[in-house]
Amino acid sequence: MDYLPLFIELKARSVLLVGGGEIASRKADLLLRTGAALTVVAPELHVELQQRQQKGEFEWLQGTFKTEYLDGIFLVIAATDDHNLNQHIFAEANQRAILTNVVDNQSLCSAIFPSIIDRSPVIVAISSAGKSPVLTRLLREKLESLLPFSLGAMANIAGRWRERVKQHFTSLRQRRHFWEKAFNGRFATLVANGQLQQAEKQLEQQLAHDASHPQGELALVGAGPGDPGLLTIKGLQVIQQADVVLYDHLVSAGVLELVRRDADKICVGKRAGDHSVAQEDIHKLIIKLADQGKKIVRLKGGDPFIFGRGGEELQIAAAAGIPFQVVPGITAAIGASAYAGIPLTHREHAQSVTFITGHCRENGTELDWPVLARGNQTLAIYMGIVKAALISQKLISHGRDRNTPVAVIGCGTRPEQQVLTGTLSELERLAQEAPSPALLVVGEVAQLHHQIAWFEQQSADQKQFIEQRDAAGQTNRPAVIDLV
């Protein structure tokens, strides 16, 4: 271990920063956030430092470094581009046993700045002992996406309740059990949603009852159209905390790979003509799992509120008294059309876009075909493969030009994505040739695919890479960390 990681309180301590450029400005920002009594030595100041100095946030000693400036200093940072000066500062500070950091010169450091993930008061620091700052930055970016922004608020509340919990439970084991249940349960969810008063009430109830049977809860999460990179940060955090994930067929294997390893994964998907699990049975399963105190994620392709029956499932949860939350996802029309290079709106071609489903409820309301057949609009049609012929016929018979450009996007955003283009009169044939799941796009914007498609070559390269990797026996599980 080259460096011992320490968290040092700098509040009101004297810190000397030598340098007034952009790098010095970044260091000053970090130091001032700690409450340090900062003194900056520099002939001139970067514009951001000037603004801070004018507000009286630090003392500015205009000019060059002098050895006497080290008197009474706790920490010194040298952020100049003068190597000889930096070396001199380090030698003088080291002789006085003052912690010293010379920016971008690890050999002249008795203290180094790690990459920081700030969820104050929770702080995560990552260091490579100065060997590879870029690597630590990349690691920080990965962890940033996994650590909820609510951690700080959760820690602050826990700090206020810590003594009360300590008085209530005499043993360390009991206290640990209480907090583990809180941080993995409804309390954490309420804090994440910004419901801080309700979160404290939840702690009150948990403390009063100390029920061994935890309360179940449901999270309705949109998985996006396929590419796991399109899963939202909050969606990733929620599925990493689930006990059980109920997922649809439309959820890609890449997204399922991001689920916590020890969570139960249950497929409750439905395909056209093949209803593997009835909707009523899904409702019963949600209630059953919640009664068992499980943290349930209902994972749906795209966005759960766009033709995903998410509203129906939440109505059941509400009626059963199951706490729930919703994490939206990128719906197929948005994701697939973007990856196909088809803007759904365009000043010259479409002033509006309409999302419709080609799989309507039996004996349901008929679509308003005269309105849908109007020009200067884009139709994004979900689940339209089976009824593509009817859709084409209805639109043409109600006035839409039979030569209107169309596109059928199969397996949108995935490596196997295919985009078939043609005219409205050819929609049935195109739909039959496209892989499933597929989105139908009707409107002049579909012709722009040939100009601005960007994903197809990238997808082909990715497919070749996957084939080579699989042939070598390697795996492709994304680098994620199980949070609980």
Side-chain angles (χ1 to χ4, degrees):
M1 184 185 294
D2 295 327
Y3 292 86
L4 176 67
L6 294 173
F7 289 89
I8 300 174
E9 183 184 30
L10 291 180
K11 190 171 295 181
R13 293 186 184 274
S14 297
V15 177
L16 184 69
L17 173 61
V18 184
E22 184 178 354
I23 294 175
S25 179
R26 292 201 298 267
K27 296 298 182 185
D29 177 69
L30 187 63
L31 293 166
L32 290 170
R33 282 158 56 189
T34 69
L38 180 63
T39 300
V40 177
V41 179
E44 297 178 350
L45 296 179
H46 184 269
V47 60
E48 292 181 2
L49 280 175
Q50 289 180 15
Q51 294 170 355
R52 286 181 175 274
Q53 193 272 333
Q54 289 169 3
K55 295 177 182 178
E57 296 184 17
F58 62 85
E59 180 184 1
W60 178 28
L61 299 179
Q62 187 172 13
T64 58
F65 170 78
K66 298 178 181 179
T67 303
E68 57 262 33
Y69 291 162
L70 294 174
D71 294 343
I73 294 297
F74 180 79
L75 169 68
V76 59
I77 295 97
T80 80
D81 55 6
D82 186 334
H83 176 72
N84 291 332
L85 175 58
N86 290 340
Q87 202 166 31
H88 173 63
I89 294 170
F90 174 73
E92 293 292 336
N94 198 46
Q95 185 177 358
R96 292 165 173 77
I98 298 172
L99 291 174
T100 309
N101 175 268
V102 176
V103 175
D104 206 25
N105 193 331
Q106 185 261 342
S107 65
L108 298 180
C109 291
S110 57
I112 57 177
F113 284 83
S115 289
I116 295 172
I117 302 171
D118 188 356
R119 302 288 189 270
S120 293
V122 177
I123 302 293
V124 179
I126 309 167
S127 172
S128 64
K131 300 296 192 298
S132 181
V134 173
L135 176 60
T136 58
R137 178 177 59 79
L138 291 174
L139 289 173
R140 187 201 71 200
E141 290 173 357
K142 290 180 181 297
L143 290 172
E144 282 275 10
S145 67
L146 292 171
L147 300 178
F149 288 97
S150 58
L151 283 179
M154 193 154 54
N156 281 325
I157 294 174
R160 292 197 299 270
W161 280 73
R162 186 178 179 185
E163 189 60 33
R164 186 173 173 182
V165 172
K166 190 174 181 179
Q167 292 176 359
H168 188 86
F169 297 108
T170 57
S171 75
L172 178 62
R173 184 190 62 80
Q174 289 175 316
R175 294 196 294 272
R176 183 185 296 118
H177 174 73
F178 174 87
W179 286 118
E180 286 176 349
K181 188 161 61 174
F183 293 148
N184 290 318
R186 182 65 179 160
F187 165 71
T189 300
L190 291 168
V191 175
N193 292 337
Q195 299 170 282
L196 302 186
Q197 291 184 347
Q198 293 92 323
E200 297 212 39
K201 289 180 180 178
Q202 178 66 30
L203 284 184
E204 184 80 55
Q205 294 174 6
Q206 184 178 325
L207 196 62
H209 302 295
D210 189 31
S212 59
H213 181 70
Q215 182 181 27
E217 57 181 292
L218 171 68
L220 186 62
V221 179
D227 183 348
L230 296 181
L231 182 69
T232 66
I233 291 176
K234 187 169 185 179
L236 174 61
Q237 292 168 350
V238 170
I239 66 174
Q240 277 275 295
Q241 297 171 7
D243 296 315
V244 184
V245 175
L246 309 179
Y247 66 95
D248 287 343
H249 283 299
L250 291 178
V251 177
S252 68
V255 172
L256 289 175
E257 280 289 311
L258 299 173
V259 174
R260 201 177 87 206
R261 289 183 184 274
D262 59 344
D264 293 327
K265 291 185 284 189
I266 304 173
C267 181
V268 293
K270 297 180 286 295
R271 298 181 187 272
D274 179 21
H275 293 260
S276 56
V277 180
Q279 189 65 42
E280 293 74 16
D281 292 334
I282 296 175
H283 296 165
K284 293 177 182 177
L285 183 57
I286 290 172
I287 294 173
K288 176 184 176 181
L289 293 170
D291 286 342
Q292 295 172 358
K294 303 287 189 180
K295 295 188 73 170
I296 312 156
V297 163
R298 181 68 174 96
L299 192 59
K300 290 176 172 287
D303 180 89
F305 279 3
I306 303 293
F307 306 123
R309 305 186 74 168
E312 298 174 37
E313 294 176 8
L314 291 191
Q315 285 178 297
I316 295 298
I322 302 170
F324 60 83
Q325 63 172 315
V326 182
V327 181
I330 295 178
T331 188
I334 301 296
S337 63
Y339 275 50
I342 299 175
L344 294 178
T345 62
H346 190 285
R347 285 193 300 172
E348 296 179 7
H349 303 297
Q351 284 69 54
S352 65
V353 57
T354 301
F355 295 174
I356 61 176
T357 174
H359 183 66
C360 296
R361 187 173 181 175
E362 195 172 331
N363 300 321
T365 304
E366 177 77 359
L367 293 173
D368 193 343
W369 293 108
V371 172
L372 297 176
R374 294 174 184 170
N376 298 317
Q377 66 172 325
T378 303
L379 305 181
I381 306 171
Y382 294 69
M383 297 170 283
I385 292 293
V386 174
K387 295 189 177 181
L390 176 64
I391 292 169
S392 174
Q393 182 266 319
K394 287 285 189 179
L395 290 174
I396 293 173
S397 66
H398 284 87
R400 196 79 189 239
D401 192 323
R402 63 186 295 107
N403 292 317
T404 299
V406 300
V408 180
I409 308 169
C411 299
T413 78
R414 308 184 191 203
E416 62 270 26
Q417 172 180 295
Q418 291 186 32
V419 183
L420 306 177
T421 59
T423 65
L424 184 57
S425 62
E426 301 172 308
L427 186 61
E428 179 183 12
R429 176 182 61 80
L430 296 174
Q432 291 175 347
E433 296 175 359
S436 183
L439 178 82
L440 314 184
V441 179
V442 178
E444 283 69 19
V445 293
Q447 64 188 321
L448 299 178
H449 162 72
H450 300 290
Q451 293 179 258
I452 59 177
W454 60 273
F455 181 67
E456 291 182 348
Q457 182 57 49
Q458 178 177 310
S459 179
D461 294 342
Q462 184 179 4
K463 184 177 181 181
Q464 182 180 8
F465 168 77
I466 291 173
E467 290 174 347
Q468 292 173 347
R469 181 206 67 208
D470 292 345
Q474 300 173 5
T475 60
N476 191 36
R477 179 177 171 84
V480 298
I481 297 174
D482 292 343
L483 296 181
V484 292

